[in-house]
Amino acid sequence: MTEILLIRHGETDWNVDKRLQGHIDIGLNAEGQRQILALGAALAGEGIDAIFASDLQRARDTAQAVATVAGLPVGIDAGLRERCYGAFEGLRHAEVEQRYPEAYRQWKAREPDARYPAGDERQAETMREFYQRSVAAVQRVLGAGAGHRKVAIVTHGGVLECLHHWASGSDFVQPRTFDIFNASVNRLQWDGQRARIRSWGEIDHLQREALDEVDR
């Protein structure tokens, strides 16, 4: 059995502003930096065997905070990136609705094969493509770490949503009924064939007392 610690990156200014980040490489804000230091301290005694992360800096920096304490390198896999939203990226939800009303309707209806308008640099992924890419990336990472007892994977909210559906056996087009917090720890168990959720949304390390301790 392998325990998987799925970790969402720390807070960014765009999280606070509710802008879609997607593949845009946004760094952590000051609160996010404090969160990841608290995260690293909380996981110091976990006995993590390997750490993997998305190549976007908000995930890489979060992973590095855990890796530094654990004395481990960070393996980078671009397959762990957030979903690419094409022209939606950089916009707030209300701005998406105003500029692309039909695509916005498809997004909110969770149409699995809808492709949103392309951005200046990237073509958007459909929900189905993103789900398949997210699951394949985690399976690839687990294959690379065969024999590891505990693996940490630092990624993004959209990927975590896909993996919750994957591990719970629910349809990925169903609306999300669970929280995904910045710098949270979400635990799965992998038996080599399938994953099961052990716990979700651990954030005790982000309580005010823990964050205040980081500043001392």
Side-chain angles (χ1 to χ4, degrees):
M1 289 286 187
T2 301
E3 184 177 0
I4 309 168
L5 276 59
L6 293 176
I7 300 168
R8 187 185 179 194
H9 62 78
E11 184 182 276
T12 72
D13 284 340
W14 281 24
N15 289 146
V16 177
D17 202 30
K18 300 191 183 303
R19 291 185 181 274
L20 285 169
Q21 296 175 109
H23 284 196
I24 298 178
D25 206 5
I26 305 299
L28 301 176
N29 62 16
E31 181 67 10
Q33 293 289 350
R34 295 174 69 213
Q35 289 174 345
I36 67 172
L37 290 175
L39 174 70
L43 296 181
E46 280 277 346
I48 295 170
D49 298 309
I51 302 174
F52 298 89
S54 154
D55 62 334
L56 298 177
Q57 63 175 318
R58 55 193 185 270
R60 284 191 287 107
D61 290 351
T62 302
Q64 190 58 57
V66 178
T68 297
V69 175
L72 293 169
V74 177
I76 300 298
D77 192 319
L80 296 169
R81 279 188 177 195
E82 182 58 279
R83 181 179 179 181
C84 183
Y85 283 96
F88 290 8
E89 294 184 354
L91 302 179
R92 299 183 184 93
H93 289 215
E95 293 170 329
V96 175
E97 183 177 19
Q98 181 180 25
R99 297 187 194 185
Y100 308 104
E102 176 57 20
Y104 179 85
R105 183 200 63 76
Q106 293 172 329
W107 177 32
K108 291 305 177 181
R110 300 179 69 87
E111 295 184 9
D113 298 306
R115 192 179 305 282
Y116 314 135
D120 293 337
E121 299 180 16
R122 291 176 288 271
Q123 177 173 289
E125 293 175 282
T126 69
M127 182 186 290
R128 189 184 308 278
E129 290 169 345
F130 175 54
Y131 175 84
Q132 292 171 342
R133 191 248 295 169
S134 298
V135 171
V138 168
Q139 291 175 326
R140 181 169 59 248
V141 161
L142 292 171
H148 290 151
R149 185 180 61 85
K150 188 173 293 192
V151 175
I153 300 175
V154 183
T155 182
H156 305 264
V159 176
L160 288 174
E161 180 175 347
C162 291
L163 297 176
H164 188 288
H165 285 301
W166 172 61
S168 64
S170 56
D171 194 317
F172 67 90
V173 302
Q174 292 178 355
R176 177 158 61 88
T177 58
F178 46 90
D179 292 316
I180 301 176
F181 302 108
N182 285 113
S184 61
V185 178
N186 309 276
R187 298 175 188 266
L188 307 185
Q189 191 171 62
W190 170 253
D191 64 6
Q193 297 295 322
R194 63 162 297 178
R196 293 175 174 83
I197 298 172
R198 291 188 55 204
S199 69
W200 194 266
E202 295 180 18
I203 53 171
D204 285 352
H205 56 283
L206 301 180
Q207 301 309 313
R208 191 81 265 149
E209 297 82 0
L211 293 177
D212 287 345
E213 186 64 31
V214 165
D215 287 338
R216 292 196 180 102

